[in-house]
Amino acid sequence: MPTKMELQARCEQLEKDIAALQRQLLCMERQLTGKLLPEERQPADMPTNLMALMKKHRVPWEVFWCYEHERWLDEVCSSFPHDMYGSSCPECRGEDGSN
């Protein structure tokens, strides 16, 4: 039988999960109505190869965006979409990106 502390911790985790789901629902509702917040909008200059991957694998544009450097990834892992490890932007790899 779980202790009171364990039940309380589980309750707090469930409340966090519910809040996260509510935020996600609100974002999806804004997306359906076309009234996204500025931070939810896709940057305009998405490369066509990433756009094709996004549509082919049905993944959101956020998968291809490096939030740390605010730029698109230019290298995607060979096992994409199952694994994103190794996908990076030039600055993540220590390059300047001016190829």
Side-chain angles (χ1 to χ4, degrees), residues 14-45:
L14 289 172
E15 287 172 350
K16 288 179 185 178
D17 293 346
I18 290 169
L21 288 171
Q22 287 174 334
R23 285 191 300 274
Q24 187 177 10
L25 177 63
L26 288 173
C27 177
M28 289 177 177
E29 287 173 345
R30 286 192 299 272
Q31 189 174 18
L32 286 172
T33 60
K35 298 177 181 177
L36 290 172
L37 300 175
E39 61 270 13
E40 296 171 337
R41 291 190 188 118
Q42 173 181 333
D45 60 342

Side-chain angles (χ1 to χ4, degrees), residues 23-24 27-28 30-31 36-44 46-47 50-51 53-55 58-76 80 84 87-89:
R23 285 191 300 274
Q24 187 177 10
C27 177
M28 289 177 177
R30 286 192 299 272
Q31 189 174 18
L36 290 172
L37 300 175
E39 61 270 13
E40 296 171 337
R41 291 190 188 118
Q42 173 181 333
M46 183 177 201
L50 295 182
M51 181 91 56
L53 283 173
M54 182 179 84
K55 290 178 181 177
R58 297 179 182 167
V59 294
W61 64 268
E62 291 90 347
V63 170
F64 304 106
W65 184 251
C66 176
Y67 285 93
E68 185 177 343
H69 300 109
E70 296 186 352
R71 61 187 302 175
W72 293 108
L73 304 180
D74 67 344
E75 188 175 284
V76 179
F80 177 83
M84 282 297 295
S87 303
S88 61
C89 78

Side-chain angles (χ1 to χ4, degrees), residues 77-88:
C77 180
S78 61
S79 60
F80 177 83
H82 307 291
D83 183 20
M84 282 297 295
Y85 184 77
S87 303
S88 61

